[in-house]
Amino acid sequence: MVRQQKSTIYTVCLMFCDDPDATEDLVQQTLINLWNGFETFRGDSDVRTWVWRVAMNTCITADRKEKKRSETTASLERFGIDSQAEDPRADDRQIGMLYDRIHRLGVFDRAIVLLWLENLPYDEIGSIVGITAKNVSVRLARIRQQLKEMD
């Protein structure tokens, strides 16, 4: 299963993190979570859908932890303690701008865009994130508009 879903896991983790080392950490954490949750997988959905959900939940959890860490860093900077900021890596300017904009979306919207970029059908996206296919369509239209309006 891991060999079959390797690109899915890596794609999800890469969308949530632009640092190669941190991406590998997310992949490893996802694999741990898959291993720990395999016994509870009931088979109600396709294995691919389950892997997407586990990978996204792992990344969302890591994203929340990083935001808390960033808030702490911001607090330290107010007291004159320096911290390092990383620049996003981008080979191509337009792709870099798109990824930057996607990274500024909320976690839920970022997950929907990620699934859409993987060319998944709306009903499968809805199944993974827990909304209807129609709601996926509406959210994607709003997300596209939001991405266009970003500077």
Side-chain angles (χ1 to χ4, degrees):
M1 178 193 73
V2 170
R3 273 189 231 113
Q4 291 173 346
Q5 302 300 323
K6 182 179 178 182
S7 66
T8 298
I9 296 166
Y10 190 76
T11 300
V12 172
C13 295
L14 187 61
M15 182 57 90
F16 278 84
C17 187
D18 56 0
D19 176 36
D21 292 333
T23 301
E24 287 300 322
D25 290 344
L26 284 174
V27 169
Q28 291 300 317
Q29 187 60 48
T30 300
L31 292 173
I32 291 168
N33 291 343
L34 286 168
W35 178 263
N36 291 335
F38 192 73
E39 288 182 7
T40 61
F41 177 60
R42 297 183 308 248
D44 293 342
S45 63
D46 185 56
V47 170
R48 181 178 180 199
T49 302
W50 178 68
V51 169
W52 271 103
R53 288 191 102 144
V54 170
M56 283 197 324
N57 287 336
T58 301
C59 292
I60 289 168
T61 300
D63 189 62
R64 287 181 183 150
K65 287 179 183 177
E66 181 60 33
K67 283 184 180 170
K68 284 183 181 179
R69 206 171 322 168
S70 295
E71 290 170 5
T72 303
T73 301
S75 297
L76 292 174
E77 287 174 349
R78 277 187 255 144
F79 291 105
I81 300 171
D82 196 17
S83 66
Q84 294 179 336
E86 293 184 39
D87 294 323
R89 298 178 186 181
D91 295 333
D92 179 62
R93 190 175 193 284
Q94 288 182 337
I95 292 173
M97 287 173 42
L98 176 62
Y99 275 95
D100 178 57
R101 290 176 182 193
I102 290 171
H103 279 284
R104 288 190 276 161
L105 292 172
V107 174
F108 190 74
D109 288 344
R110 198 179 326 155
I112 291 173
V113 168
L114 170 66
L115 296 167
W116 179 77
L117 288 172
E118 286 292 314
N119 294 320
L120 293 178
Y122 286 5
D123 58 337
E124 191 170 350
I125 294 171
S127 173
I128 291 169
V129 298
I131 59 176
T132 65
K134 180 65 177 167
N135 201 344
V136 170
S137 174
V138 170
R139 288 193 76 105
L140 278 170
R142 290 179 183 162
I143 291 167
R144 284 186 200 108
Q145 187 61 38
Q146 189 178 357
L147 288 171
K148 287 178 188 176
E149 293 173 359
M150 287 181 182
D151 51 354

